Amino acid sequence: MGHLLPLDTEVAESVQVTGIGLIEGAFTAVHDPETNFTLFTPDRLEKPTVLGHREGLGLAVTIRPNEDVCLALEAICAGHGVDRARIHGIGSLNGARFEDGGVVDSYATELLVREGLVVKTPQGHRARIDIAIVDMDGAISEGVLVRGQNPVCVTAEFVIEPSD
């Protein structure tokens, strides 16, 4: 889960995966002076290569350290006029707080969004982000994040896919 180095990662057994790709954009590795890490940053490609067909427009975003995942995704969607979106992503959190009361107390974790959604409600945009997360000891936890209680540790990258 989380950030894997594709050239250094070996898959132990056959798996079937699905994914989402970017046509006119990419996540580019750039040194970040705040964290002193090389982090992925959304970047627009000068000359995109288009394979297959284009199903719609989306947003590639990075959420910075100490920003809450749900609140940041809600603000990004609201700011871009996206009233309903599927969320795809990976990243790191400072532990995790789940709606069912579950808690992961680890200063650094890696997450994978299993199912993410942002919708505009009468109260404003609201995110429901269901994740799987692994802590520093290798323990895996799953659940829906509590809004306002899950800050990013180092970085988190998301693709926001507007939907009807």
Side-chain angles (χ1 to χ4, degrees):
M1 283 182 283
H3 302 88
L4 300 175
L5 301 173
L7 301 178
D8 297 328
T9 302
E10 291 185 31
V11 179
E13 57 188 58
S14 295
V15 296
Q16 183 174 0
V17 299
T18 60
I20 185 166
L22 304 172
I23 294 173
E24 295 180 358
F27 285 101
T28 305
V30 177
H31 176 76
D32 176 61
E34 178 184 357
T35 62
N36 203 29
F37 286 103
T38 299
L39 303 179
F40 291 113
T41 302
D43 195 12
R44 189 176 221 14
L45 298 177
E46 293 287 326
K47 295 180 180 180
T49 301
V50 179
L51 301 173
H53 64 282
R54 184 181 191 142
E55 292 187 13
L57 299 176
L59 301 168
V61 302
T62 298
I63 299 178
R64 307 291 299 158
N66 300 314
E67 291 185 60
D68 178 75
V69 170
C70 293
L71 298 180
L73 289 168
E74 292 167 3
I76 292 166
C77 287
H80 285 85
V82 176
D83 292 340
R84 184 175 182 83
R86 290 179 44 193
I87 306 297
H88 311 273
I90 60 173
S92 62
L93 295 179
N94 293 320
R97 303 292 180 264
F98 297 113
E99 286 185 354
D100 68 1
V103 173
V104 175
D105 281 323
S106 180
Y107 66 90
T109 62
E110 292 288 325
L111 74 90
L112 168 70
V113 175
R114 297 186 311 168
E115 185 175 10
L117 185 66
V118 174
V119 296
K120 184 176 181 180
T121 71
Q123 295 77 36
H125 286 74
R126 294 295 181 261
R128 183 181 187 283
I129 309 298
D130 184 334
I131 67 166
I133 192 166
V134 61
D135 68 16
M136 294 293 289
D137 296 322
I140 297 174
S141 302
E142 302 174 1
V144 176
L145 295 176
V146 174
R147 182 177 184 266
Q149 295 185 27
N150 289 286
V152 168
C153 182
V154 177
T155 186
E157 296 82 35
F158 296 95
V159 173
I160 299 172
E161 178 186 12
S163 60
D164 295 330

